[in-house]
């Protein structure tokens, strides 16, 4: 045991303290999400309850074991029933259905000394039983109201099944598609990520957390998890405070400002201090600077994992985590087994334990569990609301709006509702992969495959031929890793040549080929990092053979991340990225392929040309030797020898079956003062032949700053629907508040000077104008 660890850790935290002080803005006084709680009554109730509690019972409230239904880690809690009866459990992770939850709750309410109810949580990431697109796909809708409604439906279903706490939203900014969990967040952009974070919290929690159809949100992963080095899950993070405050922390703060009831710590260290033991992060920033009053829980066994981080044994790391500001220990039971000893030895004090216990009890009080411990256990609600027709219809609509049309040469899409279509590829006939990663409550056996969905939607009007064409991957062991948790894609052990020849023969009988290729659902998500982001080689060879038939080929890409589709972009006539669209993905894909829905999705993470360009994101900064726009290669400029600097597809990119034209930008004035604003407007025209939706995006650039500033920053957007030939004036307002950033002293300021404003359909193809802030 290294006794120097604790003083060394304290020294690191003290080094951060001056910055924390400088960065401390006034706590945001804007109204938080309404939580209908009589605070005085609540405090009196909890004071009275805690006065009755023994030390063991207080520590017991900090313990969050697993019920074992969903596998998200390597440890499984044991002897759960006796611990609940002994008052050694505050909540249960991963236990569902009204019957099981009720029986478990009865153990606490009827058999523990103080009858304190349990809280029940689970990962409700992109829906509960009715699954919506994976969050990266959901963000591609750019529709905040729609996103909020998906969370509202998820809360309605999960709460009917006994849950009252969702480990969602995941708001980590990620600019490295090698990281598997990029699929679980909203992409690379700070502003969009912040807007979605707040929308998700509103949807999950509603306007009354005590209502029986709400879930307490748990914002994750605090903090910086999406910046893990090398895109490898659980890896370290090293980042300046300036970058933290300007680019990575805002979505967490937006969720806190929206009233999120809880926060989950991340697995990574942050500049040498793991998040779960980071007092500066959990107390100085979260609680003191941001005014967070909720509960802080760890991720799965995160306290125990501090041992491998090198911070000491289980007793040491448990004490560090409690002192840092953690309230609840998920699965690891370090608090349960060591805190009493640490109290005796002076490593923690009773005030630390009381603080954590109180925060857990407050969460339960606000959820209304003391009034009715069984309010979330309704067999009637579960039967009526889970997988209801209204929810499934909405899921189909959401999925269709999330798909991104990346290429459509010669109007290959939409397909005609006549003739013969060859549906080929390893993703064509697998229902279990349609919901995507982090769909722990999905009914995988009854989820439609694309083949089944297409046959149902188009009926007898279109003849559908099917062929496997290839296995998912050449490597058998790799395919096993990529199809875990019931997402199997059975291998065909015939030779590759035989499978391709069969697919080519099928394609030759058809008018058009739809190639369903890409990743399986478990090739992204937690512990699913990849260094090669191409479509697997065996699938690429199949695709090349299909193209040689001379038939029109539509590539339907399944993926949980941006892939390197450089060859595909150069050779395939049409490419539709469908992510993993959830329960109704198959029907939704068919809707878009055959033109019943006009695609309107826009990517929220830049697609690189190759892995060597990573990290690549639109809001980068200039160097002192920037490469001129449209140029490559220039010696002694910031570029590569083998590829240009440009992405394959820029942030915000996505096509439509319609086309849209933008007028030049009109400004209400070219200069304004700190208390004023300007109006920015463009005229958008649908120049296509069918109605469509366009996401109009506004970016700014601070031309001269006290610190280096990004070349573009998203500041606003509107999703506009226009009929064929229709035009509309789209109006934005820019104030000094929109131009603020954290300067070198971490002061939040809008600096006077000159700015550019850009408006367009993606971050690259824009109109621009200039204005100044006085």
């Amino acid at each position: 045991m290294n006794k120097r660890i604790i003083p060394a850790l304290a020294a690191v935290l003290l080094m951060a303290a001056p910055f924390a002080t400088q960065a401390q803005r006034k706590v945001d006084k804007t109204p938080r999400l309404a939580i209908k709680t009589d605070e005085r009554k609540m405090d009196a109730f909890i004071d009275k309850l805690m006065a009755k509690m023994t030390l063991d019972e207080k520590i017991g409230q900090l313990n969050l074991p697993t019920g074992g239904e969903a596998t998200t880690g390597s440890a499984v809690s044991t002897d759960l029933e006796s611990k609940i009866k002994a008052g050694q459990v505050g909540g249960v992770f991963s236990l569902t259905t009204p019957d099981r939850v009720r029986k478990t709750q009865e153990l606490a309410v009827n058999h523990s000394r103080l009858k304190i109810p349990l809280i029940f949580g689970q990962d409700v990431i992109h829906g509960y039983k009715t699954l919506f697109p994976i969050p990266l796909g959901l963000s591609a809708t750019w529709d905040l109201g729609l996103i909020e409604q998906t969370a509202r439906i998820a809360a309605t279903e999960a709460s009917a099944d006994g849950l009252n706490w969702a480990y969602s939203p995941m708001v980590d900014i990620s600019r490295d598609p090698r990281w598997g969990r990029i699929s679980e967040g909203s992409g690379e952009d700070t502003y969009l990520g912040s807007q979605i974070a707040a929308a998700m919290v509103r949807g999950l929690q509603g306007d009354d957390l005590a209502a029986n159809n709400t879930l307490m949100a748990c914002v994750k992963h605090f903090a910086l998890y999406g910046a893990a080095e090398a895109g490898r899950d659980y890896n370290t993070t090293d980042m300046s405070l300036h970058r933290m405050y300007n680019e990575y922390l805002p979505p967490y703060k937006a969720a806190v400002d929206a009233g999120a009831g809880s926060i989950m710590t991340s697995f990574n260290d942050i500049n040498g201090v793991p998040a779960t033991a980071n007092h500066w992060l959990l107390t100085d920033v979260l609680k003191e600077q941001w005014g967070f009053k909720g509960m802080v829980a760890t991720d799965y066994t995160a306290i125990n994992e501090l041992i491998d981080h090198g911070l000491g044994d289980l007793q040491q790391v448990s004490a560090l985590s409690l002192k840092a500001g953690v309230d609840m220990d998920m699965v690891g039971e370090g608090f349960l087994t060591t805190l009493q000893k640490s109290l005796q030895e002076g490593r923690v004090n009773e005030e630390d334990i009381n603080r954590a216990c109180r925060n857990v009890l407050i969460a339960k009080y606000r959820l209304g569990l003391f009034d009715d411990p069984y309010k979330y256990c309704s067999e009637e609600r579960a039967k009526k609301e889970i997988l209801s027709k209204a929810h499934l219809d909405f899921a189909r609509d959401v999925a269709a709006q999330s798909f991104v049309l990346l290429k459509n040469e010669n109007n290959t899409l939409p397909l005609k509702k006549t003739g013969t279509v060859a549906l080929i590829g390893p993703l064509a006939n697998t229902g279990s992969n349609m919901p995507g990663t982090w769909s722990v409550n999905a009914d995988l056996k009854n989820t439609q495959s694309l083949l089944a969905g297409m046959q149902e939607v188009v009926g007898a009007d279109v003849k559908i031929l099917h062929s496997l064409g290839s296995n998912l991957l050449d490597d058998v062991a790799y395919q096993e890793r990529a199809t875990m948790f019931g997402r199997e894609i059975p291998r065909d052990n015939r030779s590759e040549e035989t499978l391709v020849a069969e697919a080519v023969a099928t394609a030759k009988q058809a008018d058009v080929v739809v190639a369903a290729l890409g990743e399986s659902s478990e090739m992204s998500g937690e512990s699913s990092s990849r260094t090669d982001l191409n479509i697997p080689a065996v699938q690429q060879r199949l695709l090349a053979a299909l193209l040689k038939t001379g038939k029109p080929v539509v590539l339907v890409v399944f993926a949980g991340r941006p892939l390197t589709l450089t060859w595909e972009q150069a050779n395939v006539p049409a490419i539709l990225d469908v992510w993993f669209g959830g329960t109704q993905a198959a029907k939704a894909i068919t809707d878009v392929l055959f033109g019943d829905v006009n695609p309107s999705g826009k990517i929220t993470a830049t697609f690189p040309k190759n892995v060597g360009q990573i990290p690549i994101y639109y809001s980068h900064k200039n160097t002192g030797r920037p490469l001129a726009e449209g140029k490559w290669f220039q010696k002694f400029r910031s570029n590569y020898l083998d590829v240009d600097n440009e992405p394959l597809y820029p942030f915000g990119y996505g096509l439509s079956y319609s086309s849209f034209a933008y007028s030049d930008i009109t400004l209400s004035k070219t200069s304004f003062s700190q208390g004023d604003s300007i109006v920015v407007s463009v005229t958008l025209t649908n120049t296509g032949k069918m109605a469509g939706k366009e996401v109009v995006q506004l970016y700014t650039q601070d031309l001269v700053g006290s610190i280096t500033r990004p070349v573009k920053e998203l500041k606003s957007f509107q999703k506009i629907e226009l009929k064929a030939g229709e035009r509309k004036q789209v109006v934005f307002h820019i104030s000094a508040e929109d131009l603020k950033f954290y300067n070198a002293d971490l002061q939040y300021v809008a600096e006077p000077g000159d700015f550019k404003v850009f408006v367009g359909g993606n971050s690259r193809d824009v109109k621009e104008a200039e204005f100044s802030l006085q």
Side-chain angles (χ1 to χ4, degrees):
M1 182 172 71
N2 188 348
K3 295 182 179 178
R4 292 177 296 174
I5 286 178
I6 292 178
L9 181 62
V12 172
L13 295 175
L14 284 170
M15 288 173 64
F19 296 99
T21 301
Q22 291 166 358
Q24 189 166 351
R25 298 163 57 196
K26 287 184 178 180
V27 174
D28 191 350
K29 298 298 185 182
T30 54
R32 300 294 200 267
L33 185 69
I35 297 177
K36 298 177 181 177
T37 304
D38 184 329
E39 298 288 323
R40 188 175 299 178
K41 183 179 177 182
M42 178 185 72
D43 288 341
F45 176 88
I46 292 175
D47 287 344
K48 186 176 180 180
L49 177 58
M50 289 186 67
K52 299 175 184 177
M53 297 175 73
T54 65
L55 178 63
D56 283 344
E57 287 168 332
K58 291 176 181 177
I59 293 172
Q61 287 299 305
L62 318 186
N63 186 30
L64 180 63
T66 177
E69 284 184 12
T71 303
T72 58
S74 57
V76 176
S77 303
T78 59
D79 200 17
L80 185 60
E81 181 175 341
S82 63
K83 287 175 181 173
I84 292 173
K85 290 179 178 179
Q88 295 181 332
V89 174
V92 177
F93 161 49
S94 184
L95 184 72
T96 62
T97 75
D99 181 60
R100 284 196 287 261
V101 170
R102 178 178 288 276
K103 288 177 179 177
T104 306
Q105 188 72 284
E106 285 173 350
L107 294 175
V109 174
N110 296 335
H111 298 283
S112 69
R113 187 179 75 91
L114 291 177
K115 308 184 186 307
I116 299 173
L118 302 170
I119 187 172
F120 292 88
Q122 196 175 86
D123 295 279
V124 182
I125 306 298
H126 52 107
Y128 181 64
K129 295 286 189 181
T130 301
L131 274 301
F132 300 101
I134 59 170
L136 186 63
L138 195 58
S139 69
T141 67
W142 293 65
D143 189 325
L144 298 176
L146 177 146
I147 292 170
E148 181 175 333
Q149 183 62 16
T150 67
R152 184 84 296 277
I153 288 173
T156 298
E157 291 194 353
S159 61
D161 223 13
L163 295 172
N164 40 51
W165 189 19
Y167 306 132
S168 175
M170 197 280 258
V171 304
D172 302 320
I173 295 298
S174 179
R175 294 165 175 179
D176 191 336
R178 295 173 299 178
W179 190 55
R181 298 192 82 165
I182 193 172
S183 62
E184 196 183 337
S186 297
E188 71 184 50
D189 185 65
T190 304
Y191 176 81
L192 179 61
S194 297
Q195 297 296 309
I196 292 175
M200 287 291 293
V201 170
R202 291 193 300 267
L204 290 169
Q205 296 192 166
D207 60 3
D208 183 4
L209 200 54
N212 70 350
N213 63 348
T214 62
L215 299 177
M216 181 172 69
C218 188
V219 181
K220 62 184 189 182
H221 306 86
F222 196 58
L224 319 184
Y225 192 29
E229 289 184 356
R232 196 171 75 243
D233 223 347
Y234 318 119
N235 206 8
T236 193
T237 303
D238 204 329
M239 185 182 296
S240 69
L241 288 167
H242 157 257
R243 171 162 275 189
M244 282 187 214
Y245 275 85
N246 279 313
E247 301 173 36
Y248 281 81
L249 291 181
Y252 307 106
K253 186 176 187 299
V256 168
D257 289 346
S262 63
I263 292 280
M264 180 182 288
T265 64
S266 56
F267 286 119
N268 54 287
D269 77 335
I270 298 167
N271 298 348
V273 185
T276 304
N278 197 316
H279 185 277
W280 172 78
L281 181 72
L282 301 181
T283 298
D284 295 353
V285 174
L286 179 63
K287 297 179 181 181
E288 295 180 5
Q289 290 181 31
W290 296 358
F292 178 67
K293 303 297 184 185
M295 180 173 69
V296 177
T298 75
D299 207 331
Y300 204 106
T301 65
I303 290 177
N304 309 63
E305 293 166 27
L306 296 175
I307 299 170
D308 282 328
H309 275 288
L311 296 190
D313 61 17
L314 185 60
Q315 184 184 353
Q316 278 184 290
V317 298
S318 297
L320 285 172
S321 298
L322 183 72
K323 298 288 286 186
V326 170
D327 300 317
M328 216 168 192
D329 172 13
M330 184 186 287
V331 179
E333 299 197 336
F335 283 178
L336 186 70
T337 59
T338 71
L339 284 188
Q340 190 166 111
K341 184 179 180 183
S342 291
L343 180 64
Q344 294 168 352
E345 295 175 357
R347 300 188 186 204
V348 301
N349 56 49
E350 196 162 354
E351 183 180 341
D352 298 320
I353 295 170
N354 285 341
R355 176 219 75 222
C357 177
R358 187 177 194 88
N359 286 338
V360 173
L361 295 176
I362 286 174
K364 294 179 180 183
Y365 188 97
R366 286 181 169 158
L367 285 164
L369 291 171
F370 288 106
D371 292 328
D372 182 1
Y374 309 110
K375 63 189 296 184
Y376 296 90
C377 303
S378 172
E379 296 279 1
E380 182 180 348
R381 273 191 62 213
K383 290 176 183 177
K384 178 183 177 182
E385 295 177 352
I386 293 177
L387 294 170
S388 70
K389 184 180 184 302
H391 291 178
L392 291 172
D393 288 347
F394 184 63
R396 181 174 176 174
D397 178 53
V398 173
Q401 292 196 56
S402 75
F403 303 152
V404 182
L405 184 63
L406 297 173
K407 184 180 180 182
N408 195 23
E409 189 177 83
N410 299 322
N411 294 318
T412 304
L413 290 173
L415 302 178
K416 296 177 181 178
K417 295 181 181 178
T418 58
T420 302
V421 173
L423 177 60
I424 295 170
L427 279 302
N429 195 25
T430 168
S432 63
N433 282 270
M434 295 299 101
T437 189
W438 277 113
S439 50
V440 296
N441 298 291
D443 182 357
L444 300 179
K445 294 181 179 179
N446 293 310
T447 301
Q448 274 190 325
S449 67
L450 177 55
L451 175 61
M454 191 176 290
Q455 289 171 333
E456 180 182 338
V457 172
V458 299
D461 295 335
V462 180
K463 184 177 181 181
I464 308 294
L465 305 177
H466 169 252
S467 181
L468 177 66
S470 79
N471 287 308
L472 177 72
L473 293 150
D474 280 312
D475 188 323
V476 176
Y478 187 1
Q479 182 158 329
E480 289 178 356
R481 295 193 298 273
T483 54
M484 298 173 70
F485 308 129
R487 314 305 174 101
E488 291 86 1
I489 300 176
R491 289 185 67 85
D492 190 319
N493 292 320
R494 291 177 293 167
S495 69
E496 180 181 339
E497 292 75 16
T498 299
L499 294 175
V500 170
E502 184 178 82
V504 167
T506 302
K508 287 180 177 179
Q509 300 175 56
D511 301 305
V512 64
V513 177
V514 174
L517 307 177
E519 298 185 317
S520 60
S521 67
E522 298 311 302
M523 287 174 75
S524 60
E526 185 170 357
S527 192
S528 295
S529 297
R530 295 181 63 195
T531 59
D532 180 354
L533 300 184
N534 290 321
I535 288 177
V538 66
Q539 297 183 47
Q540 283 189 323
R541 293 192 291 270
L542 167 64
L543 182 59
L546 295 174
L547 288 167
K548 287 179 181 177
T549 65
K551 301 288 183 176
V553 176
V554 176
L555 173 57
V556 175
V557 178
F558 290 87
R561 51 160 59 85
L563 297 179
T564 46
L565 301 173
T566 307
W567 184 88
E568 291 80 1
Q569 170 65 21
N571 292 281
V572 182
I575 306 174
L576 181 69
D577 192 327
V578 298
W579 316 107
F580 292 97
T583 305
Q584 296 291 82
K587 290 187 177 74
I589 294 168
T590 307
D591 290 339
V592 172
L593 288 176
F594 287 90
D596 290 324
V597 176
N598 190 348
S600 59
K602 302 270 190 175
I603 60 173
T604 58
T606 301
F607 278 49
K609 288 176 176 169
N610 62 43
V611 173
Q613 288 183 311
I614 296 169
I616 184 169
Y617 50 96
Y618 86 90
S619 59
H620 65 86
K621 297 180 179 182
N622 254 330
T623 74
R625 295 186 177 187
L627 185 68
E629 188 173 346
K631 298 291 185 180
W632 177 70
F633 161 83
Q634 287 183 276
K635 193 67 175 176
F636 308 118
R637 288 286 165 179
S638 182
N639 49 199
Y640 302 101
L641 286 168
D642 57 342
V643 69
D644 61 42
N645 292 357
E646 296 304 310
L648 181 63
Y649 305 118
F651 174 85
Y653 175 86
L655 303 176
S656 167
Y657 296 154
S658 304
S659 54
F660 296 94
Y662 286 77
S663 72
D664 289 335
I665 294 173
T666 299
L667 300 179
S668 61
K669 50 192 169 187
T670 57
S671 179
F672 69 102
S673 60
Q674 293 273 354
D676 199 358
S677 64
I678 61 169
V679 177
V680 179
S681 61
V682 296
T683 298
L684 180 71
T685 304
N686 182 345
T687 55
K689 297 180 180 179
M690 63 186 298
K693 297 176 182 178
E694 170 74 341
V695 180
V696 182
Q697 303 158 41
L698 182 145
Y699 301 83
T700 63
Q701 181 186 14
D702 190 345
L703 294 174
V704 179
S706 59
I707 60 173
T708 56
R709 305 288 291 123
V711 297
K712 283 190 184 81
E713 294 179 282
L714 181 69
K715 295 297 183 181
S716 190
F717 60 88
Q718 295 181 41
K719 193 166 188 177
I720 305 296
E721 184 169 11
L722 296 176
K723 297 175 184 177
E726 185 181 3
R727 65 178 56 192
K728 181 178 181 179
Q729 186 180 45
V730 184
V731 176
F732 299 94
H733 296 265
I734 299 177
S735 70
E737 191 67 28
D738 299 311
L739 305 175
K740 286 185 175 180
F741 66 98
Y742 289 92
N743 65 16
D745 296 321
L746 292 185
Q747 297 167 331
Y748 194 58
V749 297
E751 294 180 343
D754 295 329
F755 293 80
K756 283 186 178 180
V757 59
F758 311 89
V759 179
N762 61 69
S763 59
R764 180 190 62 198
D765 304 314
V766 292
K767 302 288 187 177
E768 65 178 77
E770 293 192 21
F771 66 87
S772 61
L773 176 66
Q774 301 301 313

